[in-house]
Amino acid sequence: MITAQPRTTALRQPEIIILAGKHHRLSGKPSRLRGSVTGRPVRAVIRSDDNKLNVDSARKMIEKANEALAVSRNGGIHVRAVITIRKKMKEKIIDKFEDNWESFINGIGKGILIQLISQDIDLDTHSGKSAESHVRGWLPKPTNNPYIVEYGADFKVPQDFGSPGAILITNFHENEFFLKEIVVHGFVEGPIFFLADTWIHSRKHNPESRIIFRNQACLPSQTPPGIKDLRLEDLKSIRGNGKGERKMHERIYDYALYNDLGNPDKSDDLVRPVLGNEEWPYPRRCRTGRRPTKKDPSVETRIGKPHPVYVPRDETFEEIKQNTFSAGRLKALLHNLIPLIAATLSASDIPFTNFSDIDKLYKDGVLLKDEGRKEVKTNQFLTNLINQVFTVDDKLLKYDIPAIIKRDRFSWLRDNEFARQTLAGVNPVNIELLKEFPIRSKLDPAIYGPPESAITRELLEEELPGMSVEQAIKEKRLFILDYHDILLPFIEKINLLPERKAYASRTIFCYTQNGILSPIVIELSLPTTPSSPSNKRIFTHGHDATAHWIWKLAKAHVCSNDAGIHQLVNHWLRTHACMEPYIIATHRQLSSLHPVYKLLHPHMRYTMEINALARQSLINGGGVIEACFLPGKYAMEISSAAYKSTWRFDMEALPADLVRRGMAVDDPSAIGGVKLVIKDYPYAADGLLIWSAIKDLVESYVGHYYSAPNSITADIELQEWWNEIKNTGHYDKRNEQWWPNLASIEDLSGILTTMIWTASGQHAAINFGQYPFGGYPPNRPTLVRKLIPQEGDPDYNEFLLDPEYTFLTSLPTQLQATKVMAVQDTLSTHSPDEEYLNQLHHIQRLSFHDPEVQQIFERFSAKLEEIERIINQRNKDIHLKNRSGAGVPPYELLLPSSDPGLTGRGIPNSISI
């Protein structure tokens, strides 16, 4: 066990504030005049010519300094705390009055009480030594930001007080306030920072004081004795007990099932199963505790938009950033703009009938109805939103040209582009090496028919360039995109939905000698029927006009499969939903003093709020995903089925996932410990650079804090954290044998690297390309509305007469496409205040006084800068045909940094959109 030794810190003698310039701040550095130097009362205050002090102010400051000197002579010391508060952005007159009143109350010392708690024990109370004071007085604004204000609080503490390790803060105002930080001046060690970035609740809501720890990192066994009890108390205060409805001001982290997606009280069509049980397993979400619905007590009532869904108070979007934060745009988009689009197009929701109809979205725009234009004009926030997301004038809503057609408007038609996007598109995580032949399903043959695929050896060898199937498999030249088993159990139900027709697809690709991946065979399957015991259709690209168009329709069905699995499984489930239990457990079990908490903190920003918003308007019954994507009302059931059959924490590590899919082989000498089977695999090649950088950072960091033998197993907080993630957060997977142990530095490093990669690189790779690739509906249709016509079908002759019409009318309607394009655009956009992976977060910058830890983070930032240069060089390499060439967009989704906007690049620290 590592034990901390109590320490008595000498206190600095009182100092006189030197006022110089308009924006002076208190400093821990010695002032020009100090009572402790002369030993005499102070008779003057230094001032600059541009900051005149009136006589009363000067007298008060002199009195304050002399009082401090007297305290020092009597064996005590004067200490000052500077409290930085961020005001709310308010517009109403009553709110401004309340703001001024609160400022006045703080000024006279009646609004905020703070207590300094020493790291040393008081022998009488057996707890940390304490000193308290009310915040009073105003300090000059430290910046030009009108929403930042500072106050001071003065303390008289004894010489043997020690060093403060925590602050208790009590808010006597009617309303909460946002505390940025507290800096304590007067100790020999210099200014002591207490970074807060938290909402301080009103005492009327909760009489308990908030605990703010100083910016230091320590394991539970290293906690200074004076704040050891506070460390436990703070953790207990934010753990829920599974009871009661949560209030918006609370900071309670607890778990719940996904039982708030449906709305049975409103309509039978909005009944959805509860996710998080044996039939429909799922990760847990944050508990809100709302009352049950009338028709089904197992289902929680929904909050009508635009009212917010509860998340712990500090997880909400910062108000001061709402106008620029991309998730704020998403909220306005869902609650305001999408209804306007629907009102404009719903009465005449028609399909695209020619390619000119699609081109008009970017050239001419959508003509908004009169009432829509009126609302845009009167809603300033909505006006700003639309101006940011689209080009809009008095009548038109116009979309930006997506990257996929910006350089080459016909690239989406080509087979090599269809294949390239499996390696360098928005969903590059499903392609696998074909390892065995024949291809067999794992579904129950009694229900789903013969397990053998209809793709035969003879069929493949007709398409292979002079080699046998066995030779192609041995040389690793055959790859597969297989959505058969995950989708076939849902196809019959999906096809009963209006305007939805789907198959379960398999697509075989050949990787040629010249480094080109090309699709050669597509299999589309329907459920078996008594008359069709094997309902599988085979498509090849063919050489005549009819086969060409049939092949194009088959690729569209594959793309709709791919779009649905991407959105529901790879994007929502594997990043958003699976991260939420890690975040909840981190807050419940790891103190903010814990080094692992500090490491993970930047990677948790806003994820719970964006997930709550998704449950409210995106993945809910009747939401945007159901309306615009292939699975319709069965969307979340498919997501649950994927969680049940394929999700494993140990396989979320990038190298492990690549090896599992056969896209890489183990190679300790290679980056990330694996060697790629296809060298020109942009997602994997760039991802392994990012993965390795994160891994090096985490291993160095963990090794620094856990250098003592058995320190991992002895860390009570850490062990409870990991147990809670496995046994509560992912309760339905709790008995799986693949969960990593947590007994060594290697174990912890692997776990943390996987979490940070998931929140940063993995999410960036599958999120920020949504509009660049999906913003052109023919390239990536999110659903298909017709089965492929066959000879003898009533519409087959119509297809022969006008194949373009058949193709376009099979795609999403104009309303569906326009809605999903608007959402994809917003989800793909970086906000101006985004925090990126290569930036040292302020939590980490201020929390570590250890030079070695600072160097660890500095090396990480330098490594990411090097990676950015490498990726840029790769994008210029003419031999890498999946990221360069005529009309080919460069692969930039895993560049560490980005400018604001729809850039198609950049890795944010967290899942914040």
Side-chain angles (χ1 to χ4, degrees):
M1 295 286 288
I2 300 175
T3 58
Q5 298 299 321
R7 179 165 58 102
T8 301
T9 304
L11 296 171
R12 168 170 296 175
Q13 296 298 324
E15 57 186 294
I16 302 307
I17 304 167
I18 306 302
L19 303 176
K22 296 181 179 179
H23 302 299
H24 58 274
R25 295 194 66 172
L26 288 171
S27 171
K29 299 178 181 179
S31 305
R32 253 186 259 174
L33 290 182
R34 294 178 58 177
S36 59
V37 175
T38 64
R40 294 173 296 181
V42 178
R43 300 183 181 279
V45 177
I46 301 300
R47 62 181 182 178
S48 69
D49 291 338
D50 62 342
N51 191 6
K52 305 293 184 182
L53 291 175
N54 60 40
V55 176
D56 290 338
S57 297
R59 183 180 296 116
K60 289 179 180 178
M61 301 226 26
I62 293 171
E63 291 173 353
K64 187 75 100 173
N66 289 332
E67 180 183 352
L69 181 59
V71 172
S72 179
R73 288 172 173 169
N74 293 327
I77 190 68
H78 175 269
V79 177
R80 167 160 283 196
V82 179
I83 296 89
T84 303
I85 292 174
R86 191 190 70 212
K87 298 195 299 182
K88 291 185 178 181
M89 300 173 66
K90 301 177 179 178
E91 296 180 352
K92 297 179 181 178
I93 295 178
I94 184 64
D95 290 333
K96 291 182 179 180
F97 174 79
E98 290 178 357
D99 185 41
N100 291 332
W101 175 251
E102 290 174 2
S103 180
F104 172 76
I105 294 298
N106 287 339
I108 63 175
K110 299 295 184 181
I112 302 171
L113 174 69
I114 65 175
Q115 286 179 272
L116 287 184
I117 307 297
S118 172
Q119 295 184 142
D120 295 344
I121 286 285
D122 186 318
L123 296 179
D124 293 330
T125 63
H126 302 291
S127 58
K129 300 174 184 178
S130 67
E132 71 176 41
S133 174
H134 280 84
V135 171
R136 68 172 64 242
W138 300 268
L139 299 177
K141 292 187 185 309
T143 70
N144 292 325
N145 189 330
Y147 303 108
I148 298 296
V149 295
E150 288 188 344
Y151 300 96
D154 294 297
F155 296 84
K156 300 174 184 178
V157 298
Q159 288 280 4
D160 63 349
F161 182 79
S163 182
I167 288 179
L168 305 186
I169 184 163
T170 307
N171 175 14
F172 290 94
H173 294 294
E174 288 292 307
N175 302 314
E176 65 183 0
F177 65 85
F178 190 86
L179 178 66
K180 289 289 296 178
E181 68 177 8
I182 300 175
V183 184
V184 179
H185 301 265
F187 291 90
V188 169
E189 60 190 288
I192 301 172
F193 290 86
F194 294 77
L195 183 66
D197 277 345
T198 184
W199 289 97
I200 304 298
H201 58 260
S202 170
R203 192 169 183 267
K204 73 175 183 179
H205 289 140
N206 183 353
E208 299 297 326
S209 301
R210 280 293 308 281
I211 303 169
I212 308 296
F213 292 106
R214 71 182 289 172
N215 297 351
Q216 64 184 0
C218 59
L219 300 177
S221 60
Q222 299 170 320
T223 310
I227 61 172
K228 186 170 290 186
D229 289 345
L230 290 180
R231 181 169 183 153
L232 296 174
E233 183 181 330
D234 187 51
L235 282 173
K236 291 178 181 178
S237 71
I238 59 177
R239 294 174 187 162
N241 59 7
K243 299 178 181 179
E245 181 174 354
R246 299 273 66 90
K247 306 299 188 296
M248 297 307 294
H249 68 272
E250 293 178 326
R251 294 171 59 251
I252 302 298
Y253 294 81
D254 209 345
Y255 300 93
L257 308 176
Y258 274 75
N259 64 345
D260 62 342
L261 301 178
N263 194 348
D265 288 349
K266 184 175 181 180
S267 169
D268 289 343
D269 289 338
L270 295 178
V271 172
R272 299 293 182 270
V274 172
L275 305 184
N277 50 53
E278 186 174 352
E279 181 180 8
W280 300 111
Y282 219 62
R284 296 307 189 253
R285 65 169 176 92
C286 179
R287 182 182 177 278
T288 56
R290 297 190 301 269
R291 60 180 175 80
T293 60
K294 296 177 181 178
K295 289 188 176 181
D296 187 344
S298 68
V299 174
E300 188 174 87
T301 52
R302 293 182 52 75
I303 294 290
K305 57 188 180 183
H307 301 293
V309 177
Y310 169 81
V311 294
R313 187 65 181 98
D314 289 342
E315 305 298 327
T316 57
F317 304 140
E318 293 185 21
E319 183 191 22
I320 200 168
K321 299 180 180 179
Q322 291 258 347
N323 283 339
T324 55
F325 186 55
S326 53
R329 291 174 53 205
L330 178 61
K331 183 175 291 188
L333 175 78
L334 295 171
H335 297 163
N336 297 291
L337 185 56
I338 290 293
L340 292 185
I341 294 174
T344 298
L345 296 177
S346 60
S348 56
D349 183 17
I350 59 176
F352 297 109
T353 56
N354 55 67
F355 286 98
S356 296
D357 289 342
I358 301 175
D359 293 339
K360 288 178 182 178
L361 294 174
Y362 319 108
K363 293 180 180 179
D364 300 332
V366 177
L367 182 64
L368 292 175
K369 284 187 172 183
D370 290 339
E371 57 267 29
R373 299 204 302 273
K374 181 179 179 181
E375 181 163 349
V376 169
K377 287 181 179 180
T378 57
N379 187 328
Q380 186 61 44
F381 183 82
L382 184 57
T383 300
N384 294 337
L385 161 74
I386 295 176
N387 287 336
Q388 291 175 25
V389 182
F390 312 98
T391 301
V392 66
D393 59 22
D394 186 43
K395 297 181 180 181
L396 300 175
L397 184 66
K398 191 160 59 175
Y399 289 81
D400 290 334
I401 298 175
I404 191 61
I405 60 168
K406 204 165 192 175
R407 299 183 180 208
D408 182 355
R409 62 178 301 191
F410 300 111
S411 64
W412 67 276
L413 286 165
R414 295 192 293 269
D415 283 351
N416 64 341
E417 177 61 25
F418 173 80
R420 189 188 75 84
Q421 290 183 32
T422 66
L423 300 171
V426 70
N427 189 39
V429 297
N430 280 109
I431 188 169
E432 300 184 21
L433 179 72
L434 184 63
K435 301 175 184 177
E436 297 178 350
F437 195 85
I439 303 166
R440 296 174 61 89
S441 169
K442 296 179 181 179
L443 297 175
D444 185 353
I447 300 174
Y448 299 104
E452 295 81 9
S453 166
I455 300 174
T456 64
R457 184 184 312 276
E458 295 73 22
L459 181 63
L460 279 181
E461 291 178 350
E462 286 180 11
E463 302 295 330
L464 291 173
M467 66 174 69
S468 67
V469 170
E470 287 75 16
Q471 182 182 356
I473 290 177
K474 183 178 180 181
E475 295 182 7
K476 298 182 178 180
R477 299 209 169 270
L478 290 179
F479 297 84
I480 185 170
L481 199 60
D482 192 347
Y483 297 128
H484 180 276
D485 284 12
I486 187 63
L487 288 179
L488 189 62
F490 297 91
I491 294 298
E492 183 176 5
K493 295 189 290 187
I494 291 172
N495 287 342
L496 293 175
L497 298 173
E499 300 294 310
R500 294 280 206 292
K501 294 296 180 224
Y503 303 91
S505 67
R506 288 189 179 107
T507 307
I508 306 296
F509 301 85
C510 177
Y511 187 62
T512 63
Q513 295 285 354
N514 59 3
I516 297 298
L517 190 68
S518 180
I520 56 176
V521 178
I522 294 175
E523 177 190 69
L524 300 180
S525 300
L526 293 171
T528 60
T529 63
S531 59
S532 300
S534 181
N535 209 351
K536 298 179 173 68
R537 294 182 63 183
I538 298 296
F539 303 88
T540 57
H541 36 72
H543 303 286
D544 62 83
T546 301
H548 172 79
W549 276 103
I550 292 289
W551 175 249
K552 196 185 308 295
L553 287 167
K555 287 196 297 181
H557 277 279
V558 174
C559 286
S560 70
N561 278 196
D562 190 74
I565 295 300
H566 161 260
Q567 196 66 262
L568 296 165
V569 179
N570 300 325
H571 182 208
W572 167 256
L573 169 66
R574 291 177 60 189
T575 64
H576 284 261
C578 286
M579 275 299 299
E580 188 153 342
Y582 311 154
I583 296 170
I584 298 172
T586 298
H587 284 285
R588 285 169 51 90
Q589 299 298 342
L590 298 181
S591 166
S592 59
L593 288 166
H594 201 290
V596 170
Y597 176 95
K598 292 182 184 297
L599 180 68
L600 289 178
H601 186 274
H603 307 290
M604 304 187 295
R605 179 183 187 235
Y606 296 147
T607 302
M608 292 178 70
E609 172 92 347
I610 201 68
N611 286 1
L613 179 60
R615 297 200 314 273
Q616 189 178 36
S617 301
L618 283 175
I619 63 171
N620 60 298
V624 174
I625 300 301
E626 287 193 0
C628 301
F629 282 78
L630 177 73
K633 64 189 294 185
Y634 306 106
M636 291 302 288
E637 293 180 23
I638 290 176
S639 186
S640 170
Y643 179 69
K644 183 177 185 177
S645 62
T646 65
W647 187 85
R648 295 176 46 156
F649 180 87
D650 60 332
M651 292 293 109
E652 293 304 291
L654 177 60
D657 174 63
L658 292 171
V659 171
R660 177 187 64 82
R661 290 190 283 122
M663 301 303 293
V665 294
D666 289 319
D667 183 351
S669 65
I671 295 174
V674 297
K675 180 180 179 181
L676 294 177
V677 171
I678 297 178
K679 178 183 176 182
D680 188 11
Y681 185 2
Y683 158 76
D686 295 356
L688 286 170
L689 293 175
I690 301 296
W691 169 272
S692 297
I694 295 172
K695 182 171 181 284
D696 289 345
L697 164 73
V698 172
E699 287 179 345
S700 298
Y701 183 89
V702 169
H704 177 78
Y705 283 101
Y706 290 95
S707 57
N710 303 318
S711 54
I712 297 283
T713 53
D715 188 333
I716 299 174
E717 288 182 8
L718 190 70
Q719 294 298 326
E720 286 300 314
W721 168 76
W722 185 234
N723 287 334
E724 185 167 292
I725 287 172
K726 294 184 298 182
N727 298 319
T728 306
H730 285 272
Y731 178 83
D732 302 318
K733 294 276 190 175
R734 65 194 183 281
N735 296 322
E736 300 289 354
Q737 299 303 304
W738 41 252
W739 284 105
N741 293 320
L742 183 52
S744 67
I745 289 176
E746 292 74 22
D747 295 338
L748 178 58
S749 298
I751 290 167
L752 294 175
T753 302
T754 297
M755 290 179 178
I756 294 173
W757 161 255
T758 299
S760 57
Q762 181 70 2
H763 180 259
I766 57 180
N767 178 73
F768 291 102
Q770 290 191 74
Y771 188 80
F773 288 99
Y776 188 66
N779 178 66
R780 192 170 176 78
T782 55
L783 59 83
V784 179
R785 301 187 303 123
K786 296 179 181 180
L787 296 177
I788 299 176
Q790 303 183 67
E791 288 188 57
D793 290 347
D795 54 356
Y796 187 74
N797 287 334
E798 294 179 8
F799 159 69
L800 294 178
L801 291 173
D802 194 347
E804 180 182 319
Y805 179 85
T806 299
F807 176 80
L808 288 174
T809 54
S810 297
L811 302 185
T813 65
Q814 293 190 32
L815 174 59
Q816 290 168 329
T818 305
K819 286 168 66 175
V820 79
M821 286 165 65
V823 173
Q824 287 176 331
D825 183 292
T826 298
L827 293 178
S828 303
T829 299
H830 293 274
S831 68
D833 70 307
E834 189 60 85
E835 296 174 353
Y836 292 95
L837 192 61
N838 63 337
Q839 298 171 335
L840 185 59
H841 191 271
H842 60 270
I843 285 282
Q844 296 160 342
R845 184 175 65 252
L846 294 175
S847 296
F848 306 121
H849 302 292
D850 190 325
E852 183 178 336
V853 177
Q854 289 286 353
Q855 291 173 7
I856 290 171
F857 281 99
E858 288 168 3
R859 288 198 300 268
F860 178 62
S861 295
K863 183 64 175 178
L864 290 177
E865 290 179 5
E866 178 188 351
I867 289 172
E868 186 142 345
R869 290 192 294 270
I870 293 172
I871 294 175
N872 285 327
Q873 291 171 357
R874 287 175 174 177
N875 286 331
K876 298 175 183 177
D877 188 340
I878 60 174
H879 300 99
L880 300 177
K881 303 183 190 305
N882 288 324
R883 62 201 311 159
S884 66
V888 177
Y891 188 77
E892 298 179 326
L893 289 169
L894 286 170
L895 281 174
S897 63
S898 173
D899 296 323
L902 190 66
T903 64
R905 60 181 179 271
I907 304 177
N909 271 324
S910 63
I911 302 170
S912 58
I913 184 64

